[in-house]
Amino acid sequence: MRLAVVLDCADAPALVPFWSAALGYTHVASVPGFEVLAAGDEPGSPTFLLQQVAEPRVGKNRMHLDVHPPLDLGVPALVARLEALGGRRLGEPVTGLLEDLGIWWQTMADPEGNELDVVADPGHPPVGAY
C-alpha cells in the first residue's frame, strides 16, 4: 500500500517552492492540474500532490502536516526559510507538550493560508533559543 497526501490549492505551481522546502522533497512532475513532490531516498515516504482547484479555501484545515526538520536544520532555520518563501507564523510557539514530551512547535501557514506545524523534537534547541 502507498500513501499520497493531496493539498487543494488555487495556484499549484506557485506553492512548489514553499512545500519543497517545508518537506525537503523534490518537484518530480507537472501534470495538468497537479504538481508532484517526492522524497528523494526515503522509502515509504508519501508522495505529496498539489492539486489546483477553483474553489477557495474556507475555514480551518481539517487536517494539517507536522514537519519535523532534522536537527542540523532546526525549527528556527526552517521557519525562516518558509517565511522567505511567503509563509507566515500563526501565533507564538506552542509549548504545551514541552514538559511532558520534550517537543514544541510553530504553527505556520503557506502562501495560500494552508496550515502546518514545524515541530522541534527532543534534542532540538529549546524554544527560548528560538
Side-chain angles (χ1 to χ4, degrees):
M1 186 177 314
R2 290 186 314 121
L3 175 68
V5 176
V6 181
L7 179 65
D8 289 351
C9 53
D11 188 351
L15 291 182
V16 167
F18 179 90
W19 285 102
S20 293
L23 301 174
Y25 276 29
T26 302
H27 182 229
V28 296
S30 294
V31 295
F34 294 90
E35 300 297 329
V36 183
L37 306 175
D41 57 355
E42 296 181 41
S45 293
T47 301
F48 190 78
L49 299 149
L50 297 165
Q51 177 178 336
Q52 193 147 327
V53 297
E55 305 83 22
R57 180 177 171 267
V58 179
K60 185 179 182 320
N61 291 16
R62 297 288 298 194
M63 184 179 87
H64 68 270
L65 298 180
D66 282 355
V67 177
H68 297 253
L71 185 58
D72 61 333
L73 176 59
V75 171
L78 182 54
V79 167
R81 183 182 298 171
L82 298 178
E83 287 177 321
L85 292 166
R88 67 185 188 285
R89 297 178 202 201
L90 300 177
E92 296 297 317
V94 178
T95 59
L97 295 177
L98 187 57
E99 189 173 312
D100 292 336
L101 300 177
I103 64 170
W104 60 273
W105 61 90
Q106 176 65 58
T107 300
M108 298 192 71
D110 75 7
E112 290 191 5
N114 299 299
E115 297 170 17
L116 68 145
D117 291 329
V118 181
V119 181
D121 293 309
H124 279 257
V127 70
Y130 180 60

